[in-house]
């Protein structure tokens, strides 16, 4: 659902840019509360993993493919505010380095793919985990449903933006029907990827899943015939080796997906591209500002071997994204530490 330049007019793009900038600013502040000693190291990795999986287009219908948006996955793993930042970092890297998603449409893409998906997914996820049995399976089920609904929600958001600022004269009813229809199918793929990933992390390190941290019931003791909560025990430190292992496995997985598996991804246009071509939304598409980038279209310039070119581009993308994301989250985490430091308070 990467919107290129030219689909949405300049005034609407500018407004969405302001909305996106405000949301990122709010998320930077909110992420200070989410980025603790467990979340902070994971956040940059989540951004890199989303970048890698977005390279894996999967077929959803004849001549149409889809890929992960990632808002639901990021929100559930590292929190909604940090999730917005994760997807925003990915979109920024894709737009600047790989000419994927227009630069003037960056606000549109952040609003659709980072803000809408994250808000919808996390609201649905939290609502479900409150009513479902408190178990790991419930977390996985809630993740599936949340991710499934987040994708057509983003498609509806694009349709509304197109209704306000579309550059071609196409019936909004046709756009809405086509966009939502194909993105419901893409949402099934998104849901499967999200549920599998969250389920895998929950099985190994449930404490790393931000959205499920408060699901554990407190230990209760029977005193004089009544059940009372036991005193909170001192937290048992998790071995640093365990955290490093999760991070290393995640990074290696991202590199393999982007550097090797991506070669076998579907070459069919994704949902938005297909709808745009079928209904004429793409008549005024503009050339990307970084179309001459050495990594444009996820290939390394001057390398003729398609497998090698795409694989190197994927590996570079994962590396740049994990470094950029980790730098952002480290800075936010450092700001949180400064905010709570005794030296930052006055008597």
């Amino acid at each position: 659902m990467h919107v290129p330049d030219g689909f949405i007019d300049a005034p609407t793009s500018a407004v969405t840019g302001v909305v996106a900038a405000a949301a990122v600013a709010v998320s930077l502040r909110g992420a200070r509360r989410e980025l603790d000693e467990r979340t902070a190291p994971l956040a940059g990795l989540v951004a890199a993993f989303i970048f890698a999986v977005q390279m894996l287009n999967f077929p959803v219908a004849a001549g149409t493919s889809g890929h992960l948006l990632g808002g639901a996955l990021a929100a559930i793993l590292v929190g909604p505010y940090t999730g917005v930042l994760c997807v925003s970092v990915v979109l920024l890297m894709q737009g600047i380095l790989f000419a994927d998603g227009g630069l003037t449409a960056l606000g549109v893409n952040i609003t659709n793919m980072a803000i809408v998906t994250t808000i919808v997914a996390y609201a649905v996820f939290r609502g479900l985990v409150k009513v479902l049995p408190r178990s790991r399976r419930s977390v996985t089920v809630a993740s599936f449903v949340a991710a499934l609904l987040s994708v057509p929600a983003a498609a509806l958001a694009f349709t509304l933006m197109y209704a306000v600022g579309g550059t071609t004269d196409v019936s909004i009813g046709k756009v809405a029907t086509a966009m939502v229809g194909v993105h419901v199918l893409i949402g099934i793929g998104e849901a499967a990827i999200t549920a599998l990933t969250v389920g895998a992390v929950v099985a190994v390190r449930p404490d790393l899943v931000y959205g499920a941290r408060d699901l554990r019931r407190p230990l209760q003791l029977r005193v004089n015939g009544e059940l009372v909560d036991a005193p909170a025990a001192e937290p048992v430190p998790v071995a640093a080796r365990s955290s490093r292992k999760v991070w290393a496995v995640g990074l290696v997985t991202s590199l393999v997906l982007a550097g090797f598996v991506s070669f076998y991804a579907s070459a069919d246009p994704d949902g938005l591209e297909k709808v745009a071509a079928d209904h004429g939304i793409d008549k005024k598409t503009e050339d990307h500002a970084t179309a001459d980038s050495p990594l444009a279209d996820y290939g390394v310039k001057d390398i003729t071997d398609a497998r090698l070119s795409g694989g190197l581009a994927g590996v570079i993308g994962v590396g740049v994204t994990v470094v950029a994301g980790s730098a952002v989250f480290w800075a936010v985490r450092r700001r949180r530490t400064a905010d709570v430091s005794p030296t930052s308070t006055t008597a």
Side-chain angles (χ1 to χ4, degrees):
M1 204 182 293
H2 293 78
V3 179
D5 297 321
F7 277 25
I8 306 296
D9 63 21
T12 306
S13 296
V15 170
T16 58
V18 172
V19 171
V24 169
V26 171
S27 297
L28 285 169
R29 179 173 291 274
R32 296 182 198 173
R33 300 189 297 272
E34 296 173 348
L35 290 169
D36 55 21
E37 67 281 354
R38 292 171 292 181
T39 307
L42 186 64
L45 178 62
V46 169
F49 182 78
I50 290 172
F51 175 91
V53 180
Q54 283 195 3
M55 293 183 67
L56 308 180
N57 281 46
F58 48 84
V60 295
T64 309
S65 69
H67 64 70
L68 182 81
L69 298 185
L73 178 62
I76 295 167
L77 287 180
V78 294
Y81 293 109
T82 308
V84 169
L85 298 179
C86 282
V87 182
S88 297
V89 167
V90 173
L91 293 172
L92 186 61
M93 295 299 102
Q94 290 170 331
I96 293 175
L97 298 179
F98 298 91
D100 189 8
L103 295 185
T104 62
L106 185 60
V108 173
N109 286 321
I110 289 177
T111 301
N112 284 339
M113 297 177 65
I115 301 170
V116 172
T117 58
T118 300
I119 291 175
V120 171
Y122 199 70
V124 172
F125 176 81
R126 293 303 303 170
L128 288 174
V129 295
K130 287 181 179 180
V131 299
L132 293 174
R134 301 166 72 95
S135 67
R136 295 179 181 178
R137 179 174 296 179
S138 295
V139 172
T140 303
V141 171
S143 300
F144 184 95
V145 177
L148 174 62
L149 296 178
S150 69
V151 178
L156 278 176
F158 168 80
T159 303
L160 291 175
M161 293 179 191
Y162 184 81
V164 174
T167 57
T168 54
D169 186 17
V170 180
S171 167
I172 300 304
K174 291 182 179 179
V175 175
T177 300
M179 284 292 292
V180 174
V182 71
H183 283 91
V184 166
L185 299 177
I186 294 173
I188 296 173
E190 176 106 9
I193 295 169
T194 301
L196 287 171
T197 305
V198 171
V201 178
V202 165
V204 178
R205 286 287 302 276
D207 60 302
L208 293 181
V209 180
Y210 179 89
R213 287 185 183 177
D214 60 349
L215 297 183
R216 288 176 292 184
R217 295 183 182 276
L219 177 64
Q220 291 187 316
L221 301 175
R222 186 173 296 279
V223 179
N224 296 327
E226 297 183 358
L227 288 175
V228 297
D229 291 344
E234 289 294 325
V236 179
V238 179
R241 180 179 300 177
S242 177
S243 297
R244 287 197 299 268
K245 183 177 180 180
V246 171
W247 201 92
V249 170
L251 181 60
V252 170
T253 301
S254 300
L255 291 170
V256 170
L257 291 176
F260 178 73
V261 181
S262 62
F263 181 78
Y264 301 97
S266 172
D268 290 333
D270 66 22
L272 176 59
E273 292 173 331
K274 180 65 173 175
V275 171
D278 288 348
H279 296 277
I281 297 174
D282 59 354
K283 291 180 180 178
K284 295 187 178 181
T285 303
E286 300 173 4
D287 292 335
H288 200 283
T290 62
D292 295 329
S293 165
L295 298 172
D297 296 325
Y298 298 94
V300 178
K301 190 175 182 179
D302 297 330
I303 295 182
T304 57
D305 185 281
R307 186 191 299 269
L308 179 60
S309 177
L312 284 176
V315 169
I316 293 170
V318 168
V320 171
T321 303
V322 75
V323 170
S326 297
V328 170
F329 300 126
W330 177 83
V332 175
R333 168 67 174 160
R334 186 177 183 183
R335 182 66 180 272
R336 164 181 165 153
T337 302
D339 288 343
V340 302
S341 172
T343 59
S344 66
T345 60
T346 57

